[in-house]
Amino acid sequence: ELCRLFNTVFLQANSVAPDMLLKLVERMQEITQFIHEKGCLIVDGNELNYLVAQGDYTLPYFIDVNSYQTPNFPASAINVLFQDPHAKIFSRLTDWYTFGIVACKIFIGVHPFKGTHPNYGKGDVLERMKANVSIFNAETRLPAAARDFSYIPSAYRDWFVRLFEKG
């Protein structure tokens, strides 16, 4: 399961290097683009809807495609922790928002709206998503399980800040 890669101990035990995580994210990005080129939307691209090749860990498999939206079939499900709270309809942009959440979790092991912030309670993830108060906010403290931001390639980190902090 993709979510195994969020665990630093698992990465170390299986010799999964940061460059392998980058390759995985890049491949997921390419496949997402391909799906969009075919006129479809992923909609519910949460971490449980992907598998990775064991031993390689850079080859993604997109599963649970019954949540995809096609020109003739509406999306049937979405996990709210992966949904763009600012969007009223599903679109390529909402897919990229979800992709950003998953990519962030791949790079540092945590959802971009986890951690603690002095203006929000522990369970206020959805409120923080609506307010664009992510882990990239200077006042947010990262969860102990999070890897250092140095695991995030600079172009992705810049994009995460624009996406999750600036909307």
Side-chain angles (χ1 to χ4, degrees):
E1 300 90 8
L2 176 68
C3 55
R4 306 256 346 236
L5 299 179
F6 305 159
N7 183 294
T8 302
V9 173
F10 179 86
L11 296 180
Q12 293 168 343
N14 291 280
S15 302
V16 181
D19 64 318
M20 295 170 73
L21 298 178
L22 174 59
K23 184 67 174 169
L24 172 65
V25 170
E26 288 173 337
R27 285 180 168 170
M28 292 175 71
Q29 185 175 339
E30 290 167 3
I31 295 168
T32 299
Q33 182 65 38
F34 175 82
I35 291 167
H36 289 166
E37 289 170 0
K38 300 303 176 193
C40 298
L41 299 174
I42 297 169
V43 179
D44 190 26
N46 75 74
E47 73 236 18
L48 299 178
N49 291 338
Y50 303 97
L51 297 173
V52 293
Q54 190 171 356
D56 176 332
Y57 303 110
T58 64
L59 180 61
Y61 295 96
F62 288 50
I63 63 170
D64 197 17
V65 298
N66 66 330
S67 64
Y68 285 23
Q69 182 165 293
T70 71
N72 298 311
F73 185 79
S76 60
I78 187 164
N79 180 324
V80 295
L81 292 179
F82 292 81
Q83 183 175 3
D84 182 346
H86 307 292
K88 297 188 185 324
I89 61 167
F90 300 127
S91 69
R92 290 180 178 194
L93 293 176
T94 60
D95 271 3
W96 289 118
Y97 184 90
T98 301
F99 170 84
I101 291 173
V102 173
C104 185
K105 291 184 82 167
I106 290 169
F107 289 129
I108 62 167
V110 297
H111 190 286
F113 292 94
K114 292 290 184 171
T116 57
H117 189 279
N119 298 340
Y120 295 89
K122 189 170 181 130
D124 288 343
V125 174
L126 294 177
E127 291 305 312
R128 286 180 50 204
M129 289 173 75
K130 290 175 188 172
N132 297 321
V133 179
S134 75
I135 58 175
F136 301 100
N137 183 286
E139 294 185 68
T140 301
R141 292 192 56 217
L142 290 173
R147 291 184 286 279
D148 187 82
F149 284 167
S150 65
Y151 278 78
I152 306 172
S154 61
Y156 280 99
R157 182 170 182 199
D158 293 345
W159 180 59
F160 293 159
V161 170
R162 288 192 317 272
L163 183 64
F164 301 129
E165 281 293 305
K166 299 180 180 174

